[in-house]
Amino acid sequence: MNPHLQLVRDFHDRFGIEQPEYPDTAQLSTMDIVMRQALLMDCASETCKAITSGDLARILAGLVDLAYNALAAIACRGEDVVNVSVNWRQDGSVLSVVKALSDRVNQCTSGETVHYSALYHVCLQLTRSFVNADFDAAFRMVHANLMSKASSHVANSYDQRIERETLPHAPDLSQALYE
């Protein structure tokens, strides 16, 4: 199992977010897909705002949050990350980065693991090549921050689930940036 996915599964276990036991699989309901899409769009919006301001630590936080939410959807399906080839045009333009992210987020409306995996992989790739940062270190910092938060409870309504699964602001990830 992907090590980052295992961390997300640990988060779900700790906070009472339903997920099938691996390797059992389940389909996401239409409302689960809509909820996941809302979370991804929020993260993508924050990432684009960070790109606009040129704040590398916030861009890194946005990419990690997008990846975390993509992995959360995969965990809720009970599957593992699929290895997919992701390419983005490295032309020095931030529009190519925004297009790559937007396209991958949009594809997640399918609710399929392959599309969530593609979003995860593009975030990983952009962290390394666009932001020049240590994705694993940043991911683990965000995860540790999440695990240190409030006690667990089971969320029943979609409003409660969206609130519960919305990632808080990431800690300062500047330590994960390469000099």
Side-chain angles (χ1 to χ4, degrees):
M1 177 181 296
N2 178 290
H4 296 134
L5 178 61
Q6 184 59 56
L7 293 173
V8 172
R9 290 186 64 83
D10 294 345
F11 170 79
H12 284 182
D13 286 341
R14 169 122 185 243
F15 290 93
I17 298 169
E18 288 185 40
Q19 62 187 355
E21 290 297 320
Y22 180 78
D24 294 341
T25 60
Q27 294 295 323
L28 296 177
S29 71
T30 300
M31 292 309 293
D32 283 337
I33 294 169
V34 170
M35 180 193 69
R36 298 262 166 228
Q37 196 66 17
L39 294 169
L40 290 172
M41 289 170 54
D42 284 346
C43 291
S45 174
E46 290 302 314
T47 305
C48 288
K49 289 175 189 173
I51 290 170
T52 301
S53 70
D55 185 336
L56 288 177
R58 280 186 47 219
I59 296 169
L60 176 58
L63 291 171
V64 171
D65 286 352
L66 272 168
Y68 209 100
N69 276 292
L71 292 175
I74 296 169
C76 287
R77 288 182 53 94
E79 297 183 323
D80 198 356
V81 175
V82 177
N83 287 326
V84 292
S85 175
V86 292
N87 296 314
W88 65 281
R89 216 171 103 209
Q90 295 185 24
D91 60 2
S93 167
V94 294
L95 285 179
S96 64
V97 173
V98 171
K99 182 169 177 20
L101 288 174
S102 298
D103 289 348
R104 295 305 185 287
V105 168
N106 184 50
Q107 290 172 345
C108 290
T109 59
S110 71
E112 296 296 325
T113 296
V114 67
H115 294 124
Y116 293 116
S117 294
L119 177 58
Y120 165 76
H121 285 295
V122 81
C123 290
L124 179 71
Q125 185 181 56
L126 288 171
T127 297
R128 291 177 178 163
S129 56
F130 178 69
V131 181
N132 192 28
D134 184 342
F135 180 83
D136 184 59
F139 194 94
R140 290 180 184 282
M141 289 167 68
V142 166
H143 178 71
N145 186 53
L146 290 171
M147 294 298 273
S148 71
K149 296 297 177 194
S151 65
S152 66
H153 74 279
V154 177
N156 297 321
S157 74
Y158 281 102
D159 286 341
Q160 290 172 323
R161 289 183 63 198
I162 287 173
E163 181 181 330
R164 188 85 197 117
E165 295 190 34
T166 299
L167 299 178
H169 290 290
D172 180 12
L173 299 179
S174 58
Q175 294 175 351
L177 296 170
Y178 295 123
E179 296 293 325

